[in-house]
Amino acid sequence: MSDSLDRSTKINLLKEPVVKKLCEVLDKNSNKGWRKLGEIVGTDRRFKISSDDMETCSLQVLQVEGSPSYMLLRLMGERGCTTGHLMDYLQTLGNSEALQCLKPSALQILIQPQSVAVISGHNLRLSCHAVGKSPVQYQWFKSKEEVPNSFSPDLVRSPVHVKDAGFYICRVNCGDTFEFSQWAQVDVLNVAVSHGQSYHSLEGRLKLVIQPQSQELNIGETLQLECGAVGRPIPRYQWHRNGVPIPNATKRKLMIAHVMQEHHGRYRCEISSSTERMWTNEVDVVIDDVYAIGGVLGSSEFLLNSLPEQLYATDKVALLIGNLSYKNHPQLKAPMVDVYDLTNLLRQLNFKVVSLLDLTESEMRNAVDEFLLLLHKGVYGLLYYAGHGYENYGNSFMVPVDAPNPYRSANCLCVQSILKLMQEKETGLNVFLLDMCRKRNIHDDSTPNIVLRVTANIVFGYATCQDAEAFELSSSGFTNGVFVKFLKKRLLDDEKITVVLDRVAEDMGQFDATKGKQALEIRSSLSERRSLTDPILPSDSTDHSHSRQWAKAHELPETMCLNFDCGAQIKLGFAAEFSNVLVIYTHIIKKPEDMSFCQAHVTDFSQDLDVDPKEMNRETPEETGIYLLSSSLPQHCLYTRLSSLQKLREELVFTVCLQGTFTAMDEDPVHWTKSISIGKPLIARLDLHRAMRRNSCLQTCMMPHSPSYSPCHSPGPEHRLHLHYGPHQTQDYSRLSPQHHCLDVYERLQGAVGGCGDSYYENLSQCHYEPTYDSGGVLSSSPGRFSIPIEASDDINELQTVFINSLQLQQQ
């Protein structure tokens, strides 16, 4: 054994015990700790540790068991820092105790056991090999129980049985020192292998051995689907229904108790490992419109009459719009995160959800039209909007991303006009969640003339009170706006929707950072105990054609395997971040032995999509702007993010270019190309780019004397305000109480909102606001490029403390 670790090892590959011990040493040392180490690394241009990075590290103290040192080491590892570099830095730092952590111990585990999936009746082998300064002894455990007679580095089961499935770990002893290996999961599949069929190798490619089977069930019965693959490492599973991932369905077996009509559809499972992905067959699950009550089958109409206390929806549909990239107004950050989080939550409640970012006026109107087509008697309809907005005479207006500056109310969508159209559908529940400002537009003096019916099924949840701003919390990573931060913790509660919103309002009222400035306002005419968790029971007369069209707009293109003449094989995969944002990734499955380099990238996209070539074919999802979906994408690929799919006018056709160099040829790389067509993916199928086809939303919004029809310009007083914390903290405000601090900065901004001129920037400079400038030296209100997302603390008290202590306000 050498007297030190391999200096070429990347520090993000260091063993967890080594990293944990090193972080403990650096965290507790104030003079020679992580902060001083960061300053030393910051002088090395290779790893670019900035002041923002250091601020990110310091905020880790707010996390449960958070470690600034761990964050610093992670950032260094992501940028290529090796153990050798780290040892040199620690030597410069003069922290001998930290340096000693990188010295080898008396015992090292060289080979860790790996999780594996095997077929019952085959052989199982788990391996754990270690070296030490004296003889090494082994003892295997299954969960907490010792495995009898398991004293060798290899645990063998021949043959393996279903009862052997479970979690295994090995304890290694060397004198008085001992270490545990990592856990290894063993999954044993009970498969009847037909004559002539065999599955020998556990290494390399996955092998699918169990396919799901189609089923026909009655309402109230239990759905059970099963699939399975063998391989090492153990495969991962994700079930899909109608092309949409099912939340929390990540096991081999999918079980849904008490199925309803909403569970009808086509199911398949995505099976993946760290290097490859495959799909099972797609099977039909048919739910007959009958229900077993006391052993008797009845129709859905009989069921409704038999269970008077249980309320049902005939369907659930939701439209979520997040506008952030405004052309003529301050840009926002939180709507993207808010829409993403609410999409996942609403899908868990069996809503059909379409989530869209950055829509123009015509696209918003057409999206609303498509949404209205899905509504009929008894449907629960939910509309969420995050972005710029305003309110006049009790009517709320949503501002599209292409609204001029100053904009006219005719360029905006009136929420009450949409409600009027929803009422005509005789829906069971209408929920509006408006995460926008409600300041008065003094330049819009039109008189509202929208007559709404009196119905007992309307709920409005306003993120802020009338004539007030809504806030978004901005940090170096991604965070929700204030409203959704608290809403997402309550949305799945099985309570009346107004009770849920009441509790959200109470939670928001305890948040010191916005206390006295933003309060949730609830308006409701709901007379029944309607809940977003209510089950779905379709009406016998329901027309499902539009619902099927909606589902088609969320189907992903099939994964493709492309074979090139040179012998290389490429996998082309797809994922959806939002309904109008598609992720394309390429992965090299096979390359010729005489090819020294091989890479596949995509190019030649339609000009409708306005794709930036500099952000295509990147080695990490974050480099191309994929932050929220990055953890669920396969590794070792090239990634491209295509946004604004609603602008796509024709089928999406692009080129896959394979670039390779051969060992025997000292020439430029050779290129091969294939043209690929994937039709109109996701929301592109609905042709939202067309100019107001049905005009239903437009006609109502543009009624004479309605609040959206006005020749007057609006100055855009809809500003959302950033509560921004960052590295530019000052001591001047630290002497103030949190309430005094917020009030002082807030009052300074009151004179600036809706105004202009030098006084605005003078006021902000007194609040220690640091402006940014564009390439021409002009003051810019746009935020910088998004950083890699950082997990935010769930502890409200800790989070509000850091926001108050380092509060900055930035006008949006």
Side-chain angles (χ1 to χ4, degrees), residues 682-734:
L682 301 176
I683 203 67
R685 296 190 184 188
L686 299 186
D687 294 332
L688 299 186
H689 58 81
R690 295 183 183 176
M692 276 75 83
R693 291 156 291 165
R694 282 170 284 277
N695 292 323
S696 58
C697 175
L698 181 64
Q699 287 175 352
T700 307
C701 291
M702 297 290 284
M703 290 188 304
H705 309 299
S706 79
S708 64
Y709 183 75
S710 170
C712 300
H713 288 271
S714 164
E718 74 293 345
H719 308 292
R720 284 170 63 127
L721 298 179
H722 277 308
L723 286 178
H724 179 73
Y725 66 96
H728 311 293
Q729 299 164 329
T730 69
Q731 298 300 318
D732 297 338
Y733 285 101
S734 62

Side-chain angles (χ1 to χ4, degrees), residues 319-388:
L319 173 62
L320 279 58
I321 299 176
N323 285 343
L324 55 153
S325 302
Y326 283 86
K327 299 178 181 178
N328 304 303
H329 302 280
Q331 300 201 0
L332 304 172
K333 288 178 63 175
M336 180 171 68
V337 191
D338 293 342
V339 168
Y340 185 84
D341 287 346
L342 290 184
T343 296
N344 292 329
L345 291 171
L346 289 170
R347 282 177 176 164
Q348 292 182 51
L349 296 173
N350 295 311
F351 273 81
K352 294 182 176 70
V353 183
V354 63
S355 56
L356 299 169
L357 298 183
D358 293 332
L359 300 186
T360 64
E361 179 193 351
S362 62
E363 291 165 355
M364 286 183 71
R365 297 193 189 281
N366 287 334
V368 169
D369 283 347
E370 292 290 345
F371 173 66
L372 292 170
L373 286 175
L374 295 178
L375 302 181
H376 47 80
K377 187 174 182 179
V379 172
Y380 287 11
L382 184 147
L383 174 65
Y384 171 81
Y385 170 75
H388 289 315

Side-chain angles (χ1 to χ4, degrees), residues 648-665:
L648 192 63
R649 298 177 180 274
E650 305 292 340
E651 291 189 352
L652 182 55
V653 180
F654 58 93
T655 301
V656 177
C657 180
L658 177 69
Q659 178 181 346
T661 56
F662 292 90
T663 307
M665 300 174 60

